[in-house]
Amino acid sequence: MKGVWGLMKVLIVGKGGREHAFLRAVRKSKLVDEVFVLPGNCMMKDCKLVDIDMYDVKAVCDFALKEKIDLTIVGPCDVLALGIKDEFEKHNLKLFGPTKSATRIESSRYFAKQLMEKLKIPTTDYAVFTDRDQAIKYVSSLEKFPVMIKLDGFSKKFSVNISKSNESAIDTINLIFDENENAKVIIEEYVLGKEFSIFALVKDDKVFYLQTVKDYKRLLDGDLGPYTGGMGAVSPVFNVTDFEIDYVVEKILKPMARSMYEAGYGFEGFLYGEIVVSNEIKVLGFNARLGEPETEVLLPRLKSDFVENILDIMNGKEPSLQWSDESCVGVVLASKGYMEDELLQDKLNIVPTESEVCFMGVKKEKKLVYADGTRNLIVIAKDKNIEDAREKAYRDVEKLKTDSLIYRTDIGKF
Ligand code: GLY
């Protein structure tokens, strides 16, 4: 870093709404001059887009060296899981995010479960299988449904499935092993309860609480339909108590961070725990980054300097985090057919809005902006309470919606 305010060069790695929200927060920093987004998307303004494959971590690192980037912030977990931090460290480049070893807390659900067991952190009951026949035998014998079926590691086709019967669980297991005979499958109890996430900034054994966020994971209103990447989000989560926040930070996030640090692979980056509360607080999983679309409702509430906060924690100082008391509601618009095979890639209706919009999956052809067939954009409204923020967001959804886009109508209602 040049040591002079306003002269930093920041690189953001990723291409979705989360990185669009990073860009807005980084642009507000008094420390920053130039911002690069690699690869970014066509709706990102006030930055330079870098046409390099983000999964080629050596090429990303070469770019950062060539451009003398002062700070890199990474969005996607699969890029972190490739060891981008380890590559940057070899060249003494600053990158905020965990190493490949520390990223296992997200990239391997089994690793996280084992660590939680060791630390006696309450988590949903589970069984793990690497053999198709044994997994089928296990689900055939189950009497209590639904169950969650999860994959250890990443897959484009599969993330989380809820099976309501022995037959559907067997189908899911066959689907997973058909795609990859070496898969590791986690079959987990389904707990119905209050779900939310607690976000934190972590460096080694130090954990700084950020805020609560709720991600609306299911495709359809009323929390029905398949699990998606997230169809909307709110922050803060109005029904989370101070006791629950304290419990998660003190009894879950801090012991996890300390344990990784003591094991020699200290975590540096954003960390969040996905929590469910029924008759007790349990961890559903951990994420080694900020969430998509959680980031889009979290960062607009940050009043302090995002880049300064990150640099402080990287330098071992306590970040001076300041938050707005306002509520933020984000509603995702996705292409009809998202989560199915047929994906509509129609033209988007880009018009002025009262709310902010972050673009998630878009492409430009002949100056027109098209959906890319996945989640396309998120409308983010901030207001003094959740009802007003919700109303504002949905007024703008009305302006942006088209016949080929889908969205939930109940984000922020519960
Ligand atoms: N919205 C959940 C995630 O980012 O994985």
Side-chain angles (χ1 to χ4, degrees):
M1 204 193 324
K2 296 164 197 75
V4 182
W5 280 17
L7 288 183
M8 277 181 72
K9 282 186 173 186
V10 174
L11 171 65
I12 296 166
V13 177
K15 62 181 179 156
R18 167 182 46 210
E19 291 75 25
H20 205 163
F22 281 163
L23 171 62
R24 292 222 170 98
V26 167
R27 265 284 158 232
K28 282 189 200 143
S29 170
K30 62 182 181 292
L31 302 173
V32 176
D33 177 22
E34 266 186 280
V35 188
F36 299 84
V37 191
L38 183 156
N41 71 52
C42 60
M43 294 306 284
M44 293 178 178
K45 304 281 178 295
D46 220 4
C47 63
K48 289 184 184 151
L49 299 182
V50 184
D51 187 16
I52 288 177
D53 175 6
M54 65 180 161
Y55 297 104
D56 185 347
V57 295
K58 283 199 166 56
V60 179
C61 187
D62 285 345
F63 173 80
L65 280 169
K66 182 171 81 64
E67 281 295 337
K68 298 192 172 49
I69 298 290
D70 298 298
L71 174 69
T72 299
I73 307 170
V74 179
C77 183
D78 47 6
V79 176
L80 292 164
L82 287 171
I84 192 167
K85 167 77 156 197
D86 312 64
E87 190 63 30
F88 271 55
E89 273 183 347
K90 278 191 225 157
H91 300 277
N92 288 320
L93 285 168
K94 262 189 195 313
L95 179 145
F96 191 62
T99 58
K100 186 174 180 169
S101 298
T103 303
R104 281 180 301 166
I105 197 167
E106 172 169 359
S107 63
S108 169
R109 295 179 200 272
Y110 184 45
F111 172 82
K113 286 283 195 194
Q114 285 180 307
L115 203 50
M116 284 188 272
E117 258 178 35
K118 185 177 137 207
L119 300 171
K120 300 197 175 16
I121 289 175
T123 180
T124 36
D125 292 339
Y126 72 101
V128 59
F129 297 93
T130 49
D131 179 88
R132 181 196 301 245
D133 293 339
Q134 282 186 8
I136 289 177
K137 195 168 154 203
Y138 176 78
V139 294
S140 306
S141 70
L142 288 177
E143 287 174 6
K144 197 170 155 228
F145 284 91
V147 287
M148 314 268 287
I149 303 186
K150 300 178 177 177
L151 189 68
D152 195 54
F154 302 112
S155 156
K156 279 214 161 68
K157 283 196 201 153
F158 188 87
S159 146
V160 175
N161 168 281
I162 296 190
S163 290
K164 292 191 180 138
S165 65
N166 305 93
E167 293 71 32
S168 95
I170 293 169
D171 286 349
T172 302
I173 285 163
N174 277 324
L175 193 82
I176 294 172
F177 281 101
D178 285 348
E179 192 195 335
N180 177 7
E181 231 359 277
N182 300 315
K184 193 181 275 175
V185 175
I186 295 171
I187 302 169
E188 208 170 306
E189 69 166 326
Y190 177 77
V191 179
L192 192 62
K194 176 168 74 175
E195 284 189 28
F196 58 90
S197 296
I198 300 266
F199 284 73
L201 283 170
V202 176
K203 182 175 170 76
D204 297 334
D205 57 347
K206 300 202 175 43
V207 174
F208 299 98
Y209 166 65
L210 293 173
Q211 286 289 306
T212 55
V213 184
K214 177 178 164 72
D215 175 20
Y216 292 74
K217 295 179 182 153
R218 310 281 287 266
L219 184 68
L220 306 172
D221 281 7
D223 271 348
L224 299 172
Y227 271 71
T228 69
M231 293 300 290
V234 297
S235 180
V237 189
F238 52 90
N239 59 353
V240 179
T241 64
D242 286 348
F243 170 81
E244 287 163 343
I245 295 171
D246 262 17
Y247 184 92
V248 173
V249 173
E250 296 302 324
K251 305 271 191 251
I252 296 173
L253 296 179
K254 285 189 178 173
M256 287 298 274
R258 198 177 314 118
S259 163
M260 288 194 279
Y261 177 54
E262 285 169 2
Y265 49 89
F267 190 101
E268 180 184 272
F270 302 104
L271 176 68
Y272 72 96
E274 293 182 59
I275 308 296
V276 61
V277 182
S278 54
N279 45 6
E280 61 176 316
I281 299 175
K282 285 187 175 184
V283 178
L284 289 167
F286 288 102
N287 294 281
R289 56 181 166 97
L290 284 187
E292 165 80 317
E294 292 94 324
T295 311
E296 291 96 305
V297 294
L298 179 75
L299 291 183
R301 297 187 50 235
L302 182 68
K303 291 201 299 188
S304 47
D305 187 314
F306 183 52
V307 173
E308 190 176 23
N309 292 154
I310 289 175
L311 290 176
D312 278 348
I313 191 161
M314 291 182 88
N315 294 328
K317 275 171 61 184
E318 178 164 352
S320 156
L321 294 157
Q322 286 158 33
W323 296 96
S324 150
D325 288 335
E326 289 174 306
S327 288
C328 207
V329 172
V331 182
V332 169
L333 279 77
S335 297
K336 238 178 214 167
Y338 168 55
M339 302 302 295
E340 294 163 20
D341 284 340
E342 288 289 314
L343 301 175
L344 275 181
Q345 305 196 339
D346 279 356
K347 192 161 81 65
L348 291 174
N349 178 35
I350 312 283
V351 292
T353 52
E354 208 183 334
S355 320
E356 278 190 351
V357 176
C358 282
F359 287 86
M360 305 174 90
V362 284
K363 54 188 185 169
K364 211 171 215 172
E365 277 168 31
K366 296 187 184 141
K367 298 199 174 156
L368 296 175
V369 182
Y370 289 84
D372 76 349
T374 61
R375 289 177 295 170
N376 307 119
L377 57 100
I378 176 166
V379 179
I380 309 139
K382 192 169 67 164
D383 216 314
K384 56 186 177 305
N385 58 48
I386 193 160
E387 290 78 22
D388 290 357
R390 213 182 101 72
E391 262 181 39
K392 194 192 276 182
Y394 278 104
R395 270 200 305 276
D396 283 323
V397 168
E398 285 298 315
K399 294 182 198 156
L400 293 163
K401 71 180 191 186
T402 68
D403 286 345
S404 54
L405 294 177
I406 51 168
Y407 60 91
R408 277 180 63 159
T409 64
D410 60 355
I411 305 300
K413 266 196 180 165
F414 61 91

